[in-house]
Amino acid sequence: MCGIVGYIGEEQAAPILLDGLSKLEYRGYDSAGLAVRDGDALAQVVKAKGRLSNLVEKTDNGNALKGTCGIGHTRWATHGAPSDINSHPHMNNAGTIAVVHNGIIENYIPLKKKMQDKGYQFVSETDTEVLAHLLDYYYKGNPLEAITKVLHRVEGSYALGIMFADQPDKIFAARKDSPLIVGKSDNGSFIASDVPA
Ligand code: GLU
């Protein structure tokens, strides 16, 4: 279980997310990733295996990702080897829902099978990816309804940061048996898996 940071506000999100993730490095991790919203698109997802400095380099210190709303993650792999593909955020097939997750989805194998039978394509070996496809399946325009339906079907522990392409200026968060806190400042709102971030 590792780190989550989310930011939404007036500042550029990516440098804030990287700074927050750097404050969670002490917890240990094997890879890191960011999703930053740019206008209507959620397409800006960058992931890097290894040190956070790889992600810093890949994103030019966050300057390559423009946008004021985003989620970031440092991963400590439980399901699937450390790799760029297994790093978070994970997305639905349409690339319109992004999820970062700390914890373990214990019943992900039957859920994955069910979603594969419905035609969903999995690209990673993680337990987390099933959440992105389940959210896609249940999302009919109401994020809280979709998230609630998904979490009723999931067993295990989670702290989650979620963004939907058609929900601008919003980050959704949920937790069970994994820490996640919410913070507010004059220039924005934050989620984080631990106080230092
Ligand atoms: N179980 C997830 C994975 O292996 C999340 C691990 C974490 O908490 O960093 O990708």
Side-chain angles (χ1 to χ4, degrees):
M1 204 185 294
C2 221
I4 287 179
V5 179
Y7 172 77
I8 180 157
E10 291 164 12
E11 312 281 325
Q12 287 298 304
I16 292 173
L17 297 175
L18 289 170
D19 185 51
L21 291 177
S22 76
K23 306 237 161 58
L24 300 175
E25 279 192 288
Y26 74 95
R27 296 174 64 95
Y29 63 99
D30 53 54
S31 50
L34 298 179
V36 175
R37 182 186 186 89
D38 183 19
D40 285 341
L42 245 186
Q44 299 185 98
V45 175
V46 184
K47 312 182 190 193
K49 182 183 160 185
R51 307 296 306 167
L52 186 61
S53 56
N54 298 345
L55 188 64
V56 169
E57 215 169 283
K58 232 175 167 174
T59 61
D60 184 22
N61 230 333
N63 294 317
L65 299 182
K66 299 289 173 223
T68 57
C69 171
I71 47 180
H73 187 262
T74 46
R75 176 175 188 238
W76 188 311
T78 63
H79 295 72
S83 70
D84 285 3
I85 286 182
N86 287 337
S87 306
H88 303 208
H90 289 284
M91 303 196 83
N92 61 335
N93 291 146
T96 54
I97 302 171
V99 182
V100 291
H101 166 224
N102 283 166
I104 295 177
I105 306 303
E106 271 152 22
N107 60 339
Y108 85 101
I109 291 177
L111 290 173
K112 182 171 179 175
K113 168 99 183 53
K114 202 167 136 188
M115 298 317 285
Q116 281 171 327
D117 289 348
K118 291 185 192 299
Y120 285 88
Q121 307 287 326
F122 282 71
V123 295
S124 80
E125 301 161 306
T126 64
D127 52 335
T128 301
E129 190 184 352
V130 77
L131 297 173
H133 299 305
L134 282 166
L135 285 166
D136 180 277
Y137 182 69
Y138 287 110
Y139 184 54
K140 310 278 182 250
N142 182 334
L144 292 182
E145 193 178 294
I147 293 166
T148 305
K149 282 186 176 161
V150 170
L151 295 182
H152 277 151
R153 284 156 178 83
V154 155
E155 287 160 23
S157 59
Y158 49 78
L160 298 172
I162 306 168
M163 292 198 301
F164 293 83
D166 65 350
Q167 299 287 331
D169 304 330
K170 286 189 188 131
I171 293 172
F172 296 86
R175 67 172 285 265
K176 176 178 165 274
D177 300 335
S178 292
L180 194 69
I181 54 175
V182 176
K184 287 195 116 187
S185 77
D186 289 340
N187 66 4
S189 301
F190 304 79
I191 55 169
S193 55
D194 201 0
V195 177

